Amino acid sequence: MTGFPDKMMIRYLDPAQVGRLLRPEDDPESDRLRSLLAAVYEPSRLEVRSVDSVTVTAKDFQVPVSVPWRAHGSWEKLLPDVAQSRAVLEMPSVTAPHWIDLALDTVVTARVALTEGALESIDSEDVSALPEDEFVARFDFLDLAELMRRAKVADYRDLQDQFPRLYRLHYAQAPPFDPNAPARSYRLRISVLFFAELDLAASLRRLAQCRGAQDDSRPRPDAYDGGALLATSAWLAVFPAAALTVPDPPGSAREVSDLLAAEGCVTAFVDAE
């Protein structure tokens, strides 16, 4: 598979080939693109049901990403005058960069369904006088030990004093999916790595290094109007299809895809020719 990354760069000069990479002809439900979306946009109140289109707005090959060098410092003076200062110094990285083989900025248009309805009502219950075992049972959906740690209380009685009422929120049933409702647009950055061989350990290490550098160098918002943002970019690992036909491959296409999916990466096998 010598030259596989080079062949892929030549191939994906063609916008039509990029389109087939993101939405393969044998993927009528756009599962690959939906998986890429789910790697960045956590579905909280919205679920992507179908993809209308994907538009590539920018395409770059061999993009370097580096972790910037940061130094944190503080200065404090207590007497005779109280003074305090903190500073963070950030400089370009002095280490070798990691390389993303193909970086795509895209806009994905999708049809979504609400997974929960609007807030209908709120009720509450006085739990200030409950025995400890009943109080604990009422909050069995929470990690009470962690709540006590965050509230800085020593026992359940102190916790009960701080949380004397239990509130319940009731939501209406989510409306049925309307395929004719207006579509939503998502900005999605896709970072593609080309691997000449099916070396899973090396692939996962390179993925972790590139993703860590990119997440550290490209700050992201904490949320969008449908949930949380999980990463600055979706990641797509591209392997030669022939790597699955060598004697004693490390796994099947499904097993390799499942392994990388556990690390938040989507997998594609493509013919090198």
Side-chain angles (χ1 to χ4, degrees), residues 33-265:
L33 201 50
R34 291 166 66 182
S35 295
L36 290 167
L37 270 174
V40 174
Y41 291 94
E42 180 185 41
S44 175
R45 296 182 299 273
L46 298 175
E47 177 187 0
V48 174
R49 291 292 185 88
S50 63
V51 174
D52 285 0
S53 64
V54 55
T55 302
V56 176
T57 59
K59 177 175 64 177
D60 297 287
F61 293 98
Q62 297 305 319
V63 178
V65 286
S66 302
V67 179
W69 180 83
R70 294 188 180 97
H72 297 258
S74 63
W75 174 83
E76 189 171 354
K77 179 182 177 183
L78 298 179
L79 294 174
D81 299 317
V82 177
Q84 191 177 65
S85 177
R86 293 186 178 89
V88 177
L89 176 65
E90 182 171 311
M91 300 179 62
S93 175
V94 295
T95 60
H98 304 289
W99 295 90
I100 297 171
D101 294 317
L102 173 60
L104 301 171
D105 287 334
T106 71
V107 176
V108 181
T109 304
R111 307 281 171 168
V112 301
L114 288 172
T115 57
E116 64 181 34
L119 180 64
E120 268 192 337
S121 62
I122 302 175
D123 62 43
S124 66
E125 175 188 2
D126 184 357
V127 295
S128 60
L130 289 180
E132 180 179 309
D133 57 343
E134 293 186 31
F135 176 80
V136 172
R138 289 289 198 283
F139 290 89
D140 61 356
F141 58 92
L142 291 176
D143 183 345
L144 282 183
E146 176 64 14
L147 181 59
M148 291 173 64
R149 186 187 69 80
R150 289 178 176 272
K152 298 180 180 180
V153 298
D155 53 38
Y156 286 117
R157 173 50 60 188
D158 289 341
L159 186 65
Q160 203 165 359
D161 290 340
Q162 292 203 26
F163 298 95
R165 301 195 69 85
L166 173 62
Y167 290 88
R168 296 183 179 88
L169 308 182
H170 301 279
Y171 290 87
Q173 184 175 359
F177 171 59
D178 180 5
N180 297 315
R184 292 173 62 97
S185 294
Y186 296 88
R187 293 188 177 275
L188 181 66
R189 184 173 181 82
I190 303 172
S191 300
V192 187
L193 301 178
F194 301 138
F195 297 98
E197 299 177 344
L198 199 55
D199 184 335
L200 297 181
S203 300
L204 289 173
R205 290 168 187 163
R206 183 184 171 201
L207 169 65
Q209 291 169 343
C210 291
R211 181 168 55 193
Q214 174 138 291
D215 284 347
D216 205 38
S217 60
R218 292 173 63 96
R220 69 179 187 275
D222 291 331
Y224 71 109
D225 61 359
L229 286 173
L230 305 176
T232 60
S233 172
W235 292 84
L236 177 59
V238 177
F239 296 95
L244 295 169
T245 64
V246 300
D248 193 25
S252 66
R254 171 50 55 193
E255 290 170 330
V256 173
S257 297
D258 288 347
L259 174 63
L260 269 71
E263 300 302 319
C265 182

